[in-house]
Amino acid sequence: MKLCIALDMPTKQQNIALVHEIKSHFPHEEIWLKVGLSSFIRDGKNFIYSLQNLGFRIFLDLKLYDIPNTMIHAIKECQNLGVDMITIHASCGMEAMREIMQYNDKTRFSTSIIAVSALTSFDNNGFQQIYNVPLQYGIRQFAKFIYQCNIHGLVCSIQDLPIVKEVSTSLFTVTPGIRLQKSQDDQKRVATVKKAKNLGSDMIVIGRPIYNAINKKEIIQQILLDMQY
């Protein structure tokens, strides 16, 4: 299992300070960095380059969702940045996902394409309002579509991992919503590092539990330890 730290702090300076703190204590091979939509809009491609210059692998989490041609052009621009992984929405449909992978297979880039299934802000009621099916049924269908389209993996909640692994153990699973203790925030489906490992997550994404810690080094050490056992 891999650790990816989300750089979603209020300013570029805070994000950079956190990255330098990470680099001073941990080998960059152990940790990925996630750049989300707000940080990318605010800080741009030079922010990506500065992280790459420090040796980190980059997960660019823009959750692309548009018509196939527009998505392919956007993916091309992301690949030109040299990022290692990018996200699209599985809701874009099988036609779009197939075209994206046909394009991706023809390029010289080794960028992983990961599809978002259901956002972790959804509970069953919220999901059913939008998709008109129960959450667990929708997750299974998304996982099947993603697998059939040869997408490299998907983003899902930890609670959804057993469903995804039933569809295919080859799908690379990225799980946000990791918490070190019970918390109340906008992510409804959350769980611990150990639970993520036990259920087979391939990459956990953690942000706020690290930002909010007084001793960030200690928290990251504990996360890495929990990943081992």
Side-chain angles (χ1 to χ4, degrees):
M1 188 165 71
K2 303 177 186 298
L3 169 61
C4 182
I5 296 178
L7 300 179
D8 295 326
M9 299 184 79
T11 69
K12 177 181 178 180
Q13 291 71 25
Q14 288 173 291
N15 280 330
I16 291 292
L18 174 61
V19 172
H20 279 286
E21 186 173 355
I22 294 166
K23 185 175 175 62
S24 67
H25 296 297
F26 304 97
H28 61 75
E29 295 86 358
E30 288 188 5
I31 297 173
W32 284 53
L33 300 176
K34 182 179 85 74
V35 177
L37 185 60
S38 60
S39 291
F40 186 68
I41 290 173
R42 182 187 64 218
D43 303 324
K45 62 183 181 181
N46 288 333
F47 179 52
I48 300 290
Y49 296 148
S50 66
L51 302 176
Q52 291 169 330
N53 289 338
L54 292 170
F56 288 95
R57 301 188 72 180
I58 307 301
F59 170 22
L60 184 56
D61 185 24
L62 302 184
K63 300 180 178 69
L64 302 174
Y65 187 1
D66 213 307
I67 62 172
N69 189 60
T70 300
M71 291 178 71
I72 287 171
H73 283 295
I75 287 169
K76 179 179 179 180
E77 295 303 325
C78 293
Q79 290 173 328
N80 286 335
L81 293 175
V83 298
D84 301 281
M85 188 162 71
I86 55 181
T87 45
I88 65 173
H89 266 289
S91 299
C92 69
M94 294 185 72
E95 178 184 351
M97 288 193 285
R98 286 198 177 104
E99 290 187 27
I100 285 166
M101 292 311 293
Q102 288 170 1
Y103 159 77
N104 192 65
D105 291 344
K106 294 176 184 177
T107 69
R108 60 182 174 84
F109 299 102
S110 57
T111 312
S112 294
I113 309 293
I114 304 295
V116 176
S117 54
L119 297 171
T120 52
S121 58
F122 274 126
D123 57 15
N124 187 65
N125 289 336
F127 186 88
Q128 194 148 4
Q129 285 175 354
I130 301 300
Y131 295 100
N132 204 34
V133 294
L135 177 60
Q136 290 194 340
Y137 177 83
I139 293 295
R140 188 178 299 277
Q141 292 302 107
F142 276 139
K144 287 179 180 178
F145 298 153
I146 290 164
Y147 177 71
Q148 291 167 8
C149 294
N150 295 319
I151 299 289
H152 298 124
L154 76 163
V155 181
C156 67
S157 79
I158 291 169
Q159 288 83 356
D160 300 330
L161 277 170
I163 298 172
V164 174
K165 296 298 182 181
E166 283 179 12
V167 172
S168 174
T169 57
S170 67
L171 286 169
F172 187 85
T173 50
V174 179
T175 50
I178 303 295
R179 296 292 180 263
L180 307 186
Q181 57 187 0
K182 290 183 178 180
S183 64
Q184 297 294 323
D185 54 40
D186 58 337
Q187 298 201 56
K188 296 182 175 65
R189 293 175 295 137
V190 299
T192 64
V193 175
K194 289 184 178 181
K195 184 172 182 180
K197 179 177 176 59
N198 291 338
L199 291 176
S201 174
D202 296 298
M203 175 180 282
I204 55 173
V205 180
I206 304 181
R208 279 172 277 192
I210 295 173
Y211 311 153
N212 296 334
I214 296 173
N215 189 330
K216 295 176 176 56
K217 174 188 174 184
E218 185 178 279
I219 292 297
I220 295 171
Q221 284 177 327
Q222 184 59 54
I223 292 167
L224 294 172
L225 187 64
D226 287 347
M227 288 169 56
Q228 295 176 23
Y229 301 102

